[in-house]
Amino acid sequence: MLTVALPKGRIAEETLEIFTSIFGEEFKFDDRKLILQTPNFKFLLVRNQDVATYVFHQAADIGVVGLDTLEEEGLDVIRLLDLKRGVCRVAIGMRKGEKLDLSKPELKVATKMINITKRYFAERAVAADIIKLYGSIELAPLVGLADMIVDIVETGSTMEQNGLEVVETIMSSSTYLIANKNSYFEKKSEILDIFEKISSLIE
Ligand code: PRP
């Protein structure tokens, strides 16, 4: 029996479709239920930012989560497989025409990805003032809350429609299959079986 943590929404649906095509049975959560128990799997529906937490504490053996979220949380889990879905990047955005000048004093940066942002500026020995937001990050430079943002860019249309542009890409991201370290040893054959089946499906 493997416990699988999935992030609510599109990634959970896509992952359940992958399991359905591998095992030929339908995997579907009932209405508002957060656990889906089948003979071989227990699926958990959690918030995207919580997937790695469930896996790290071994409340789930494996999980599916974006690399950006994994980097942001910094929890020690095994990155088993790039599922090549949910492709996006974490980038610095500024108002169109503005240039990224790291030598400027007191840079103000708005983001929901505090740790990735801190790391980026620390590695460049830049003292940035990082402002935590929970969403609609693109608004911040438009109203003078920040000089720039660090945010997820998928199609680029949110930045485009708000008069912003990418001035630097910090990292590329896509969804990953992750595993708890102990589970990986305790349930190696089950996990490797899933790993192989998913790998051959996504190729
Ligand atoms: C994400 C991200 C950008 C947008 C990028 O927001 O924070 O705002 O998607 O996508 P695009 O490049 O295709 O336009 P999300 O939908 O998660 O909402 P939030 O920022 O308000 O949380």
Side-chain angles (χ1 to χ4, degrees):
M1 168 74 63
L2 279 181
T3 302
V4 188
L6 299 176
K8 277 184 184 173
R10 194 164 46 87
I11 297 178
E13 282 163 24
E14 286 179 2
T15 309
L16 290 173
E17 281 166 18
I18 291 176
F19 274 78
T20 295
S21 48
I22 289 174
F23 296 98
E25 58 178 295
E26 204 195 3
F27 295 106
K28 206 169 182 301
F29 280 88
D30 290 335
D31 194 26
R32 298 297 174 95
K33 281 215 173 156
L34 301 174
I35 295 185
L36 168 61
Q37 179 79 64
T38 75
N40 296 317
F41 300 104
K42 186 196 273 183
F43 293 99
L44 311 179
L45 212 48
V46 309
R47 278 292 294 265
N48 182 49
Q49 294 90 334
D50 296 333
V51 170
T53 304
Y54 279 81
V55 172
F56 176 72
H57 293 283
Q58 214 178 2
D61 300 304
I62 60 175
V64 175
V65 66
L67 190 59
D68 53 332
T69 308
L70 269 184
E71 286 287 332
E72 178 63 16
E73 319 231 304
L75 293 170
D76 192 13
V77 295
I78 300 174
R79 294 173 189 184
L80 278 178
L81 180 66
D82 180 357
L83 299 177
K84 307 215 168 84
R85 282 158 170 79
V87 175
C88 61
R89 54 193 170 136
V90 179
I92 301 180
M94 296 182 77
R95 278 174 297 188
K96 271 185 196 140
E98 289 184 352
K99 295 251 175 324
L100 179 62
D101 179 2
L102 294 181
S103 66
K104 255 183 154 178
E106 291 181 45
L107 293 176
K108 284 192 289 175
V109 189
T111 187
K112 56 183 163 191
M113 317 192 82
I114 292 281
N115 297 323
I116 290 175
T117 304
K118 275 188 187 156
R119 215 176 301 138
Y120 175 86
F121 287 99
E123 280 166 2
R124 286 156 186 81
V126 173
D129 179 9
I130 298 167
I131 300 162
K132 165 85 181 178
L133 293 177
Y134 292 87
S136 302
I137 319 293
E138 292 83 357
L139 192 56
L142 307 181
V143 295
L145 179 63
D147 305 308
M148 64 190 76
I149 61 171
V150 170
D151 200 14
I152 299 195
V153 180
E154 200 178 330
T155 61
S157 53
T158 310
M159 280 211 195
E160 169 69 35
Q161 289 180 28
N162 290 290
L164 305 180
E165 62 188 359
V166 170
V167 292
E168 176 122 333
T169 296
I170 296 180
M171 66 172 287
S172 301
S173 177
S174 54
T175 47
Y176 270 67
L177 181 68
I178 60 168
N180 173 276
K181 285 190 160 175
N182 292 325
S183 297
Y184 187 70
F185 291 104
E186 290 163 13
K187 302 182 178 181
K188 199 162 191 169
S189 61
E190 279 174 87
I191 291 178
L192 286 182
D193 183 53
I194 285 290
F195 167 86
E196 276 157 21
K197 286 181 166 131
I198 297 179
S199 316
S200 55
L201 192 86
I202 61 173
E203 262 166 20

